[in-house]
Amino acid sequence: MSTWFAFYGRVSTEDQQDPEASRQWQRTRARALTDSHGEIVADFFDIGRSRSLPWKRRPEATRLLEALKDPQRGFDAVVIGEPQRAFYGNQYGLTFPVFEHYGVELWVPEVGGPIDPNSEAHDLIMSVFGGMSKGERNRIKIRVRSAMGSQAQIEGRYLGGRPPYGYRLADAGPHPNPGKAADGKRLHTLEPDPETAPVVQRIFAEYLAGAGIYAIAEGLTRDGILCPSAYDPARNPHRSGIAWSKSAIRTILGNPRYTGFQVWNKQHKHEALIDVEDVALGHETRMRWNDPNEWIWSDDLAHSPLIDREDFNQAAARQVSAEATVKLRKPHRSKNAYALKGLVYCASCERRMQGQYNHGRAYYRCRYTMEYAVANKLDHPRNVYFREVDILPDLDGWLASLFTDDRIHDTVTRLAAAADDDTGRGTEHLRAAQATIRDCQRKLTRYRQALDEGSDPGVIGRWIADVEAQQVQAEAVLRRTTPRRAKITPDYVEQLFIACRSAARSLHRAAPERKAPVYRALGLKVTYQKETHTAEVQVDPDPSSVGILSCPRGDLNPHAH
């Protein structure tokens, strides 16, 4: 009897391979094992995902785990081309029981066929490969960091990343690696930008003369000098570029590369457990600053300096003194719950307002005038804040009123019209998600090329993390949007909201952490106007999230809620 197989593989930037080539050789290795037993009828291949990520945090691996639950999955077994790419550390021990539970065999070439769940030898072999995978990743990290440290210190090589404000990239000749040089790859160096280099020199001169950071930001904005995000908007689409901020001035004053030396190892990747109570969720990577004593300086000048090293040291010493006087607190993750977190905007500057707890109550505050210069004559109040409790009762009451007997027909008609694919909105969501995924794949390919050219893994890693987050969100939209299970009609939506009417009426009694996901699902946006003390509320729910869910225990377990 022929066996139908599903293939699983993975490739990431750390492998530095072409994704399609990697997929082909892994699949070829899998077919060498399965061809005499059956054929591969399904493919699950993760691209751009580190082996350290648990299966539930890899899109294709997650899709495979979901397929295992389906009796009509279309395959009888799963084959893996190389276990080191599939399993890392203890991931095999956390994943294989799922295969065993659903009666799906797992085939690997190193075992010569399916893994026997009762074989200690098979279990030992797979555990060894998980350890080898972890060791291999650690060795790659050590080799790359050691090589980049030597290149920065001895050669003064520019290791990639965005050039600092005040500099631009210049060609520095062919790549010293013959293979990369043959592919046309070249080295780069920094050269002063004639427009922004004088601005950097002015910032240091004014700061050393006694001017404060905010005063410098005000002066630059008043003179019409573009801030970094406005000067290079293509790389800063998430920033408004309205004015110079204190953080921009502080970053420039703290960048040692303006001295002409190449400086590396200012930050490092720290892998922290997502949940110490659930180690299986794995780690998340965060960038942390290293002590200045651990920074690696080039032995000689690597590019044209904008300031001398003595001026930089004086500026750094003054910043340290100022921070010690202010007694800045270390940033910490808030333990307080905000019902409207990330959903409140200031009408004056259109920026998100930050949550803050005072006297046990949740507030939302706009800190624009504390961080940005106002010399651009932006009409912005000095203090913009309001209490969460002042808006939630009216907000919850308004949402509940949408489902009263006299208004529910109008509400569901509008929602059905918005959710109907025939209007084009569903298709727009689908096409936008597909375009985003394609764009993310192109960016990931460019970032892999940048790594091949010797770019800073720390900088590229942050870019990759941002793109991966965008891709995950787009993939989630794609899964929800297609295929559609049923046409959204007014009767369908009315059935949904009649069933959930009691939940809408009881929303005001819910805790903030329970309300927050409801507000986000509704696409809620609150814009607060300080002058009139009013808030404009908009609701724009994602039509792909509309559906009726039934509790599977409702009929057989009446005691369960």
Side-chain angles (χ1 to χ4, degrees):
M1 179 177 174
S2 180
T3 303
W4 288 357
F5 292 90
F7 161 74
Y8 176 74
R10 182 203 60 82
V11 66
S12 73
T13 54
E14 64 192 17
D15 301 314
Q16 297 191 9
Q17 294 188 21
D18 173 63
E20 185 57 29
S22 180
R23 175 183 174 276
Q24 291 297 340
W25 74 255
Q26 290 183 55
R27 203 173 190 276
T28 299
R29 195 162 186 261
R31 287 185 58 187
L33 177 65
T34 62
D35 274 352
S36 59
H37 302 277
E39 62 176 311
I40 296 176
V41 296
D43 279 66
F44 300 85
F45 192 75
D46 277 307
I47 299 176
R49 305 294 170 176
S50 171
R51 69 186 75 190
S52 64
L53 288 177
W55 277 46
K56 289 186 177 180
R57 292 172 58 197
R58 306 179 199 169
E60 288 296 292
T62 300
R63 194 165 68 88
L64 174 56
L65 293 176
E66 289 297 320
L68 297 182
K69 304 175 184 178
D70 185 5
Q72 307 298 324
R73 68 181 74 92
F75 55 86
D76 311 306
V78 174
V79 59
I80 292 175
E82 188 180 61
Q84 296 99 313
R85 291 177 179 267
F87 299 113
Y88 172 90
N90 64 344
Q91 290 176 0
Y92 167 76
L94 298 173
T95 307
F96 183 65
V98 180
F99 286 80
E100 187 179 1
H101 175 78
Y102 290 108
V104 178
E105 293 182 337
L106 179 62
W107 290 49
V108 293
E110 284 70 13
V111 173
I115 294 176
D116 183 356
N118 299 317
S119 171
E120 294 182 3
H122 286 187
D123 186 70
L124 178 61
I125 290 173
M126 296 304 297
S127 298
V128 168
F129 279 115
M132 291 172 58
S133 178
K134 186 174 182 179
E136 180 183 354
R137 180 171 180 263
N138 289 335
R139 287 193 299 274
I140 291 174
K141 290 168 61 177
I142 292 173
R143 288 199 300 266
V144 170
R145 288 188 59 83
S146 298
M148 296 185 71
S150 298
Q151 291 168 353
Q153 182 176 2
I154 299 174
E155 303 177 25
R157 184 186 298 186
Y158 174 71
L159 299 176
R162 180 184 304 191
Y165 178 83
Y167 284 108
R168 63 187 182 186
L169 293 181
D171 184 76
H175 200 284
N177 185 310
K180 294 182 178 181
D183 291 337
K185 295 184 173 69
R186 305 182 66 82
L187 293 180
H188 296 89
T189 188
L190 298 175
E191 67 176 15
D193 185 330
E195 291 189 37
T196 57
V199 180
V200 173
Q201 295 169 332
R202 167 179 167 174
I203 290 173
F204 274 92
E206 292 184 1
Y207 189 70
L208 293 175
I213 289 178
Y214 191 82
I216 295 174
E218 282 280 347
L220 294 173
T221 304
R222 186 185 308 111
D223 293 345
I225 298 175
L226 296 178
C227 64
S229 58
Y231 181 74
D232 190 5
R235 289 184 174 179
N236 298 274
H238 59 294
R239 299 185 182 274
S240 62
I242 298 176
W244 279 83
S245 67
K246 291 193 296 185
S247 61
I249 303 295
R250 191 179 293 111
T251 299
I252 290 174
L253 291 172
N255 193 335
R257 288 202 283 181
Y258 293 122
T259 63
F261 290 86
Q262 181 62 266
V263 183
W264 186 75
N265 198 42
K266 293 191 295 181
Q267 291 181 294
H268 72 278
K269 288 183 178 181
H270 174 74
E271 293 185 345
L273 285 172
I274 294 178
D275 186 353
V276 295
E277 303 296 335
D278 188 0
V279 181
L281 290 177
H283 299 76
E284 61 180 352
T285 302
R286 303 172 185 171
M287 298 302 298
R288 292 189 175 179
W289 286 97
N290 290 326
D291 187 278
N293 295 326
E294 299 178 12
W295 295 0
I296 296 178
W297 292 68
S298 59
D299 295 334
D300 303 306
L301 287 176
H303 48 264
S304 300
L306 300 185
I307 59 168
D308 60 49
R309 193 162 179 174
E310 181 61 29
D311 286 345
F312 174 80
N313 291 335
Q314 291 182 17
R318 185 185 170 194
Q319 279 193 287
V320 172
S321 176
E323 291 176 358
T325 302
V326 177
K327 296 182 180 179
L328 293 176
R329 294 184 301 173
K330 292 183 178 180
H332 62 278
R333 181 172 293 182
S334 174
K335 297 181 180 179
N336 298 312
Y338 296 91
L340 299 172
K341 182 178 181 180
L343 305 177
V344 182
Y345 292 78
C346 173
S348 300
C349 61
E350 299 182 352
R351 297 172 68 246
R352 278 194 178 96
M353 299 178 69
Q354 299 175 351
Q356 178 177 337
Y357 256 74
N358 285 328
H359 305 293
R361 291 180 178 270
Y363 284 74
Y364 294 92
R365 182 179 184 181
C366 180
R367 303 175 64 89
Y368 180 89
T369 55
M370 296 182 64
E371 296 293 334
Y372 289 83
V374 294
N376 53 10
K377 297 183 174 57
L378 178 67
D379 186 15
H380 197 291
R382 184 171 182 80
N383 291 309
V384 180
Y385 65 94
F386 71 93
R387 296 186 304 174
E388 187 178 83
V389 71
D390 290 338
I391 189 175
L392 288 186
D394 291 336
L395 174 62
D396 294 340
W398 173 69
L399 291 174
S401 71
L402 297 177
F403 310 120
T404 58
D405 291 337
D406 58 333
R407 297 190 62 185
I408 191 171
H409 179 71
D410 178 63
T411 300
V412 299
T413 300
R414 293 190 179 192
L415 285 175
D420 192 350
D421 279 352
D422 293 338
T423 64
R425 184 175 179 184
T427 303
E428 291 176 4
H429 276 270
L430 176 62
R431 291 176 178 173
Q434 293 171 335
T436 299
I437 293 173
R438 288 194 297 269
D439 183 58
C440 288
Q441 293 294 342
R442 285 193 293 267
K443 289 181 178 178
L444 289 172
T445 299
R446 291 201 302 270
Y447 296 160
R448 283 191 288 271
Q449 293 173 350
L451 285 174
D452 290 340
E453 296 170 1
S455 299
D456 185 351
V459 176
I460 301 298
R462 292 194 297 272
W463 295 354
I464 289 175
D466 292 340
V467 173
E468 285 181 343
Q470 297 175 14
Q471 182 171 324
V472 169
Q473 293 177 356
E475 289 170 347
V477 172
L478 196 63
R479 287 194 299 269
R480 294 195 306 263
T481 306
T482 181
R484 295 301 300 267
R485 291 173 296 178
K487 182 179 177 64
I488 305 300
T489 64
D491 290 340
Y492 180 83
V493 179
E494 186 166 2
Q495 178 188 358
L496 169 65
F497 284 109
I498 288 177
C500 300
R501 180 179 294 177
S502 61
R505 291 174 177 172
S506 61
L507 186 61
H508 68 282
R509 296 195 299 269
E513 59 270 19
R514 299 279 186 176
K515 292 183 178 185
V518 177
Y519 293 150
R520 286 195 295 270
L522 289 172
L524 193 71
K525 180 180 179 180
V526 179
T527 304
Y528 179 69
Q529 177 60 256
K530 165 72 174 178
E531 287 74 12
T532 59
H533 299 287
T534 58
E536 178 184 292
V537 178
Q538 295 177 323
V539 175
D540 185 21
D542 182 359
S544 62
S545 65
V546 176
I548 298 178
L549 302 178
S550 301
C551 175
R553 300 184 299 172
D555 296 332
L556 302 179
N557 298 274
H559 61 282
H561 295 287

